[in-house]
Amino acid sequence: MKTQTYTKTQQLTYGALGVALVFICTAFINIRLPLAANGGLIHLGNVPLFIFALHYGRWNGALVGAVGMSLFDVVGGWFLWAPFTFVIVGLIGYAVGFICEKGLTITNYCVAMVVAVLIKTVGYYGAEGLIYSNWLLPLGSIPGNIIQILIAALIAFPLAKKIEKIR
C-alpha cells in the first residue's frame, strides 16, 4: 500500500492512537492459554498493529507494535517479557509495513503474514528458551503464536481493505 506523507503532528497522533489501540486490544481482548509453560495468551493486539503497519508504513508499524505490546507486558505483569516483546513485535510491524508498502495485494499480505509468523515463533521461542533456560518447553508456545497471527491476519486484511477505500 502506498503510504502518504504526513506532518509531524499527524505522525505523532497516528502513532499515539496506534500504541493505544494495540495496548487495549492486547490487554482487554485476550484468552489465556493453559498449554504453554508461562500460560501464554492469544490476543487481538496484532489487528491494529497490522492495520497501522499497512496504512502508515513500516516505521509506524514498528513503533505501535513495539511500544503498545511491551507496555502491556509492563502493566500486565509480564515485565520480564517486555524487552523481548519490544524487539520481536517491532520487527513484525516493520516487516509487515515493508512488504506491503508497494501495494496491499493478497500476495503481499500473505507473504507479510508468513514473515510475521516466522518472526513471532522464532523470536518468542528464543525468548522463552532464554527466560526458562529450557529449549524443549518453548515448543508448547508455538501453536498459540501461530494461531494468534492467523486470527489477526484474517481480521486485519478485510478491515485494511475497507479503510483503504475510505481514505
Side-chain angles (χ1 to χ4, degrees):
M1 170 169 307
K2 191 83 169 144
T3 55
Q4 298 174 338
T5 304
Y6 296 99
T7 67
K8 296 278 186 197
T9 303
Q10 287 172 317
Q11 289 175 358
L12 182 61
T13 303
Y14 290 133
L17 178 63
V19 166
L21 286 172
V22 167
F23 173 78
I24 288 166
C25 290
T26 304
F28 298 110
I29 308 172
N30 66 57
I31 300 168
R32 295 197 184 264
L33 296 174
L35 306 173
N38 65 355
L41 72 141
I42 292 179
H43 58 79
L44 292 184
N46 291 306
V47 174
L49 163 62
F50 293 157
I51 291 171
F52 275 80
L54 295 170
H55 284 289
Y56 303 110
R58 57 181 119 163
W59 290 109
N60 193 285
L63 171 79
V64 302
V67 175
M69 283 197 206
S70 59
L71 180 62
F72 164 75
D73 284 348
V74 171
V75 174
W78 305 75
F79 187 78
L80 191 58
W81 292 90
F84 297 106
T85 295
F86 188 88
V87 173
I88 295 164
V89 180
L91 285 172
I92 290 170
Y94 185 90
V96 169
F98 177 78
I99 293 167
C100 293
E101 69 185 3
K102 299 284 189 229
L104 184 51
T105 65
I106 191 73
T107 303
N108 288 351
Y109 189 73
C110 287
V111 169
M113 293 303 108
V114 168
V115 170
V117 164
L118 290 173
I119 293 169
K120 186 168 193 80
T121 55
V122 170
Y124 279 110
Y125 175 83
E128 197 168 343
L130 290 172
I131 288 170
Y132 295 110
S133 298
N134 183 322
W135 298 99
L136 187 58
L137 206 54
L139 293 173
S141 299
I142 292 174
N145 288 331
I146 294 170
I147 290 168
Q148 190 178 109
I149 295 291
L150 291 177
I151 290 170
L154 291 172
I155 296 169
F157 187 72
L159 288 175
K161 291 303 266 184
K162 293 270 187 205
I163 292 168
E164 184 179 42
K165 287 180 184 176
I166 62 174
R167 273 182 46 173

